[in-house]
Amino acid sequence: MSTSEDTAAPGRRSRRRVGAASGPRRADQQPIPGEIKVLIASAFVIAIGFGIISPVLPAYARSFDVGVAAASFVVSIFAFFRLLGAPGSGVLVARLGERWVYLTGLGIVAASSLLTAVAQTYWQLLVFRGLGGLGSTMFTVSAMALLVRLAPPTMRGRVSSAYASSFLIGGMLGPVLGGLMAGLGLRVPFVVYAAALVVAALVVGVRLSHASLRPDPTATPQEPMRLGEGLRDSAYRAALASAFANGWANFGVRVAIVPQFAVAVHDETWVAGVALAVAAAGTAASLQFSGKVTDTVGRKPMVVLGLGITAVSLGSLGLSESLAVLLVLSLVSGFGAGMVNPGQQATVADVIGNQRSGGTVLSTFQMAQDGGAIIGPVLIGVVADQAGWGWAFAVTGLISLLALPLWLAARETLQKEPVAVTADQG
């Protein structure tokens, strides 16, 4: 793998060697490899594109003369097909390789978005969005596999934080741009999203064309990790539990239920947007340090602390009657969410390792998170209707708490032995 020093001027190389002689570079100071930076940048572009279509998709569906339920189903079918396609994506990654599946997935979503823009009937729209869900899970699972393959063990937490931050920031900017583009027509954002995906695919395809994504050919080949092997590992079982809880709380209830609660209690639609924005700010804040702590202190402490914060803050959100309390709890719950993701993803990467393929192991992890995001809002909506908001959010907090025992009993996967990396090798 080439580095910036490989192409530097002779004088600069000399200065770098002098610096290297003073001692090894600390693991948390190593620069993120260029190939991973490309994936992070691609994630930002993808997130912006997805955010662009989010505010216009329901209105676009309603333009086909269907009701609210049918329009909502267009949104849900994307997530449903993501869940449906995850096992197959894992198999494809194991057999065909991460890069091929990643680029194919981006191509499928781009085609889906373009077809959505020219759909003539509601049923065409439904089919095209479902197709996009299949492509989405292909590039999501393969992106995780690429990060496992390319990220050194000493920076897996930082890489996960950077990747999540790019998605978060892109997801915050996208809806703003989408709202502005809607004035040009409801079909325009889908065309822009397709173009953004094509650009991302081209950049990643070129940049990773020479990246070493397979184990050393001179080394003894290792069999891909099977799901059964992963399930025998206490750390992987804990990661599945927290992924389900994280999907339930932060990708499901927060997105679908919190806005409804905010409007119901405060009778102002703007409150819903502010609550979501504040939660996103909390997540962005914790992502700035949680990855580094995950790589130095350990995976378990950050996940356990994050689950606890999420359980208490989001679990008590239904009791908030004042706007100030609502926003503070939203901020704190978002902060907790940003502490969970780097640790659990780094744990899964540790379990698999850089020298093995783990497509099925990764796709199952993704399915657990998607499953929580799909099931959570439905069941919590029923609880809210039958027992009230307080019980609905209390159940959500309980789901996060139920993941804690598995994490407390799980092994710590971070190898804390220092790895001496000189400046000339970084």
Side-chain angles (χ1 to χ4, degrees):
M1 185 183 300
S2 63
T3 63
S4 59
E5 286 82 4
D6 292 335
T7 56
R12 182 183 173 189
R13 289 180 59 85
S14 175
R15 290 194 296 272
R16 296 288 288 177
R17 289 195 179 100
V18 171
S22 63
R25 177 180 293 173
R26 284 172 43 190
D28 62 349
Q29 294 177 337
Q30 298 174 35
I32 293 176
E35 292 87 351
I36 295 179
K37 290 181 180 179
V38 170
L39 290 173
I40 292 171
S42 176
F44 178 72
V45 173
I46 293 168
I48 284 184
F50 187 80
I52 284 174
I53 68 172
S54 295
V56 301
L57 181 58
Y60 183 50
R62 291 293 301 275
S63 70
F64 290 92
D65 295 325
V66 297
V68 175
S72 299
F73 190 58
V74 172
V75 178
S76 301
I77 197 170
F78 185 88
F80 174 75
F81 272 87
R82 270 181 57 88
L83 185 64
L84 197 65
S89 298
V91 173
L92 288 175
V93 166
R95 292 184 177 180
L96 302 176
E98 299 91 343
R99 179 174 170 271
W100 186 92
V101 178
Y102 183 90
L103 296 177
T104 302
L106 285 182
I108 290 174
V109 180
S112 164
S113 183
L114 196 59
L115 289 171
T116 297
V118 297
Q120 299 301 307
T121 68
Y122 170 78
W123 294 108
Q124 288 181 3
L125 175 63
L126 207 60
V127 170
F128 297 151
R129 286 300 294 165
L131 180 66
L134 291 177
S136 175
T137 198
M138 286 178 67
F139 76 68
T140 299
V141 171
S142 55
M144 290 174 59
L146 282 168
L147 294 179
V148 169
R149 183 73 71 188
L150 296 171
T154 53
M155 63 174 64
R156 283 173 177 156
R158 276 201 295 146
V159 167
S160 178
S161 289
Y163 193 80
S165 296
S166 68
F167 253 110
L168 180 67
I169 297 172
M172 293 171 65
L173 294 176
V176 177
L177 297 175
L180 297 174
M181 290 181 188
L184 303 175
L186 293 177
R187 298 176 186 265
V188 171
F190 296 96
V191 177
V192 173
Y193 183 33
L197 290 169
V198 170
V199 171
L202 289 174
V203 172
V204 172
V206 172
R207 189 62 178 84
L208 296 188
S209 60
H210 301 295
S212 177
L213 304 181
R214 296 285 108 191
D216 184 350
T218 64
T220 302
Q222 299 188 45
E223 290 291 328
M225 176 173 280
R226 298 184 181 277
L227 180 59
E229 183 181 350
L231 290 173
R232 289 194 292 272
D233 193 314
S234 61
Y236 180 66
R237 295 194 300 270
L240 290 181
S242 61
F244 181 81
N246 191 45
W248 180 299
N250 297 307
F251 297 107
V253 170
R254 184 188 310 285
V255 174
I257 303 299
V258 170
Q260 297 183 57
F261 169 73
V263 173
V265 173
H266 299 283
D267 199 27
E268 292 286 352
T269 55
W270 62 267
V271 175
V274 172
L276 291 178
V278 167
T283 301
S286 60
L287 283 173
Q288 301 310 305
F289 70 88
S290 58
K292 182 175 290 188
V293 175
T294 293
D295 286 334
T296 53
V297 176
R299 320 302 195 196
K300 284 178 60 175
M302 293 303 292
V303 179
V304 169
L305 187 58
L307 286 172
I309 291 174
T310 300
V312 173
S313 55
L314 200 56
S316 58
L317 192 69
L319 302 178
S320 61
E321 296 183 355
S322 72
L323 178 60
V325 173
L326 170 65
L327 296 182
V328 168
L329 290 177
S330 295
L331 178 69
V332 174
S333 66
F335 192 85
M339 299 172 71
V340 172
N341 201 52
Q344 66 179 10
Q345 288 203 356
T347 295
V348 174
D350 292 339
V351 168
I352 299 172
N354 293 90
Q355 300 302 312
R356 301 183 71 181
S357 172
T360 304
V361 175
L362 289 168
S363 64
T364 302
F365 173 78
Q366 186 62 46
M367 286 176 65
Q369 186 159 278
D370 286 344
I374 294 172
I375 296 171
V378 176
L379 295 185
I380 292 305
V382 173
V383 174
D385 288 338
Q386 300 299 320
W389 295 110
W391 281 105
F393 284 99
V395 171
T396 295
L398 178 62
I399 296 296
S400 292
L401 286 178
L402 290 176
L404 280 176
L406 285 172
W407 269 101
L408 293 173
R411 70 182 181 94
E412 173 59 63
T413 61
L414 174 64
Q415 300 297 318
K416 295 185 178 182
E417 290 82 359
V419 179
V421 178
T422 65
D424 209 35
Q425 293 175 316

Short mmCIF file of all heavy atoms in Angstrom, two decimals, residues 2 28-29 42 56 61 68 87 123 131 160 180 224 252 258 268 288 295 300 322 374-375 379 381 388 392 413 422:
data_model
loop_
_atom_site.label_atom_id
_atom_site.label_comp_id
_atom_site.label_asym_id
_atom_site.label_seq_id
_atom_site.Cartn_x
_atom_site.Cartn_y
_atom_site.Cartn_z
N SER A 2 0.69 2.10 -0.92
CA SER A 2 1.54 3.28 -1.02
C SER A 2 1.13 4.31 0.01
O SER A 2 0.00 4.37 0.45
CB SER A 2 1.43 3.89 -2.42
OG SER A 2 0.13 4.32 -2.67
N ASP A 28 -2.66 5.89 18.27
CA ASP A 28 -3.77 6.81 18.06
C ASP A 28 -3.37 8.05 17.27
O ASP A 28 -4.20 8.94 17.04
CB ASP A 28 -4.39 7.23 19.41
CG ASP A 28 -3.41 7.96 20.31
OD1 ASP A 28 -2.20 7.96 19.99
OD2 ASP A 28 -3.85 8.52 21.33
N GLN A 29 -2.06 8.13 16.87
CA GLN A 29 -1.62 9.26 16.06
C GLN A 29 -1.35 8.85 14.61
O GLN A 29 -0.99 9.69 13.79
CB GLN A 29 -0.34 9.86 16.67
CG GLN A 29 -0.55 10.50 18.04
CD GLN A 29 0.74 11.02 18.64
OE1 GLN A 29 1.83 10.56 18.29
NE2 GLN A 29 0.62 11.97 19.55
N SER A 42 -16.86 8.90 0.16
CA SER A 42 -17.97 8.30 -0.58
C SER A 42 -19.22 8.20 0.29
O SER A 42 -20.33 8.47 -0.17
CB SER A 42 -17.57 6.91 -1.09
OG SER A 42 -18.65 6.27 -1.73
N VAL A 56 -38.68 14.65 -0.01
CA VAL A 56 -39.61 14.71 -1.14
C VAL A 56 -40.26 13.37 -1.46
O VAL A 56 -41.27 13.33 -2.18
CB VAL A 56 -38.90 15.23 -2.42
CG1 VAL A 56 -38.31 16.62 -2.18
CG2 VAL A 56 -37.82 14.27 -2.88
N ALA A 61 -44.65 10.17 -3.66
CA ALA A 61 -45.55 9.01 -3.65
C ALA A 61 -47.01 9.45 -3.66
O ALA A 61 -47.85 8.86 -4.37
CB ALA A 61 -45.26 8.14 -2.43
N VAL A 68 -52.07 8.20 2.65
CA VAL A 68 -50.90 8.34 3.52
C VAL A 68 -50.25 6.99 3.78
O VAL A 68 -49.03 6.85 3.76
CB VAL A 68 -51.32 9.00 4.85
CG1 VAL A 68 -50.14 9.03 5.82
CG2 VAL A 68 -51.85 10.41 4.61
N PRO A 87 -28.63 -11.23 3.87
CA PRO A 87 -27.93 -12.53 3.82
C PRO A 87 -27.24 -12.78 2.48
O PRO A 87 -26.10 -13.24 2.44
CB PRO A 87 -29.06 -13.55 4.07
CG PRO A 87 -30.12 -12.79 4.77
CD PRO A 87 -30.05 -11.41 4.22
N TRP A 123 -47.14 1.47 -8.54
CA TRP A 123 -46.55 0.14 -8.43
C TRP A 123 -45.14 0.12 -9.01
O TRP A 123 -44.27 -0.58 -8.50
CB TRP A 123 -47.44 -0.89 -9.12
CG TRP A 123 -48.75 -1.03 -8.41
CD1 TRP A 123 -49.97 -0.60 -8.84
CD2 TRP A 123 -48.96 -1.60 -7.11
NE1 TRP A 123 -50.94 -0.86 -7.91
CE2 TRP A 123 -50.35 -1.48 -6.84
CE3 TRP A 123 -48.14 -2.19 -6.17
CZ2 TRP A 123 -50.91 -1.94 -5.65
CZ3 TRP A 123 -48.68 -2.65 -4.98
CH2 TRP A 123 -50.05 -2.51 -4.74
N LEU A 131 -36.00 -2.29 -5.20
CA LEU A 131 -34.73 -2.60 -5.85
C LEU A 131 -33.59 -1.81 -5.23
O LEU A 131 -32.48 -2.32 -5.02
CB LEU A 131 -34.84 -2.30 -7.35
CG LEU A 131 -33.60 -2.55 -8.21
CD1 LEU A 131 -33.28 -4.04 -8.25
CD2 LEU A 131 -33.82 -2.02 -9.63
N SER A 160 -14.31 3.92 12.41
CA SER A 160 -15.76 3.80 12.54
C SER A 160 -16.38 5.15 12.87
O SER A 160 -17.43 5.51 12.34
CB SER A 160 -16.11 2.78 13.62
OG SER A 160 -17.50 2.68 13.79
N LEU A 180 -34.69 22.44 -1.12
CA LEU A 180 -34.48 23.49 -2.11
C LEU A 180 -34.72 22.97 -3.53
O LEU A 180 -35.30 23.66 -4.37
CB LEU A 180 -33.06 24.05 -2.00
CG LEU A 180 -32.71 24.75 -0.67
CD1 LEU A 180 -31.24 25.12 -0.64
CD2 LEU A 180 -33.59 25.99 -0.48
N PRO A 224 -13.19 -18.35 5.06
CA PRO A 224 -14.06 -17.27 5.52
C PRO A 224 -14.72 -17.63 6.85
O PRO A 224 -15.02 -18.81 7.09
CB PRO A 224 -15.11 -17.16 4.40
CG PRO A 224 -14.45 -17.75 3.20
CD PRO A 224 -13.56 -18.84 3.72
N GLY A 252 -34.78 3.75 14.60
CA GLY A 252 -36.20 3.48 14.52
C GLY A 252 -37.03 4.45 15.31
O GLY A 252 -37.67 5.36 14.77
N VAL A 258 -40.10 9.84 18.02
CA VAL A 258 -39.78 11.10 18.71
C VAL A 258 -40.45 12.30 18.03
O VAL A 258 -41.03 13.16 18.72
CB VAL A 258 -38.26 11.30 18.82
CG1 VAL A 258 -37.94 12.72 19.30
CG2 VAL A 258 -37.66 10.27 19.77
N GLU A 268 -46.47 21.85 17.95
CA GLU A 268 -45.72 22.67 16.98
C GLU A 268 -44.85 21.74 16.14
O GLU A 268 -44.03 20.99 16.69
CB GLU A 268 -44.83 23.70 17.69
CG GLU A 268 -45.59 24.80 18.43
CD GLU A 268 -46.21 25.82 17.48
OE1 GLU A 268 -45.92 25.74 16.26
OE2 GLU A 268 -46.98 26.67 17.95
N GLN A 288 -16.62 12.56 18.08
CA GLN A 288 -15.32 13.21 17.97
C GLN A 288 -14.27 12.58 18.88
O GLN A 288 -13.07 12.69 18.62
CB GLN A 288 -15.45 14.71 18.30
CG GLN A 288 -16.40 15.47 17.40
CD GLN A 288 -16.14 15.23 15.92
OE1 GLN A 288 -15.03 15.43 15.45
NE2 GLN A 288 -17.17 14.80 15.21
N ASP A 295 -10.21 2.89 20.77
CA ASP A 295 -8.94 2.31 20.33
C ASP A 295 -7.87 2.32 21.41
O ASP A 295 -6.83 1.67 21.24
CB ASP A 295 -8.41 3.08 19.12
CG ASP A 295 -9.19 2.77 17.85
OD1 ASP A 295 -9.78 1.68 17.77
OD2 ASP A 295 -9.23 3.63 16.95
N LYS A 300 -15.44 -2.35 25.07
CA LYS A 300 -16.55 -2.57 26.00
C LYS A 300 -16.96 -1.32 26.77
O LYS A 300 -18.16 -1.02 26.85
CB LYS A 300 -16.20 -3.69 26.99
CG LYS A 300 -16.28 -5.09 26.43
CD LYS A 300 -15.88 -6.12 27.44
CE LYS A 300 -16.76 -6.09 28.68
NZ LYS A 300 -16.43 -7.20 29.61
N SER A 322 -41.83 19.74 29.34
CA SER A 322 -41.35 21.04 28.90
C SER A 322 -40.43 20.87 27.70
O SER A 322 -39.79 19.83 27.53
CB SER A 322 -40.59 21.75 30.03
OG SER A 322 -39.35 21.13 30.26
N ILE A 374 -36.71 -1.56 12.07
CA ILE A 374 -38.01 -1.82 11.46
C ILE A 374 -39.05 -2.20 12.51
O ILE A 374 -40.17 -1.69 12.52
CB ILE A 374 -37.90 -2.93 10.40
CG1 ILE A 374 -37.03 -2.45 9.23
CG2 ILE A 374 -39.27 -3.35 9.89
CD1 ILE A 374 -36.70 -3.54 8.24
N ILE A 375 -38.66 -3.10 13.42
CA ILE A 375 -39.61 -3.61 14.41
C ILE A 375 -39.91 -2.56 15.48
O ILE A 375 -41.06 -2.41 15.92
CB ILE A 375 -39.05 -4.89 15.06
CG1 ILE A 375 -38.92 -6.00 14.02
CG2 ILE A 375 -39.95 -5.37 16.20
CD1 ILE A 375 -38.18 -7.22 14.52
N LEU A 379 -43.80 -1.62 17.05
CA LEU A 379 -44.24 -2.07 18.37
C LEU A 379 -44.39 -0.91 19.35
O LEU A 379 -45.33 -0.88 20.15
CB LEU A 379 -43.24 -3.10 18.92
CG LEU A 379 -43.15 -4.42 18.15
CD1 LEU A 379 -42.22 -5.39 18.85
CD2 LEU A 379 -44.53 -5.04 17.98
N GLY A 381 -45.11 2.12 18.57
CA GLY A 381 -46.32 2.84 18.19
C GLY A 381 -47.56 2.21 18.80
O GLY A 381 -48.48 2.91 19.27
N GLY A 388 -49.72 4.87 26.34
CA GLY A 388 -49.23 6.24 26.47
C GLY A 388 -47.75 6.37 26.15
O GLY A 388 -47.02 5.38 26.04
N ALA A 392 -44.21 3.85 26.27
CA ALA A 392 -43.59 3.59 24.97
C ALA A 392 -42.08 3.83 25.04
O ALA A 392 -41.28 2.98 24.61
CB ALA A 392 -44.22 4.46 23.90
N THR A 413 -12.06 -7.25 23.04
CA THR A 413 -11.36 -7.66 21.83
C THR A 413 -10.17 -6.77 21.48
O THR A 413 -9.36 -7.14 20.62
CB THR A 413 -12.32 -7.68 20.63
OG1 THR A 413 -12.84 -6.36 20.42
CG2 THR A 413 -13.47 -8.65 20.87
N THR A 422 6.79 3.40 12.83
CA THR A 422 7.59 4.60 12.64
C THR A 422 6.92 5.55 11.69
O THR A 422 6.02 5.17 10.93
CB THR A 422 8.99 4.23 12.08
OG1 THR A 422 8.82 3.67 10.79
CG2 THR A 422 9.70 3.25 12.99
#
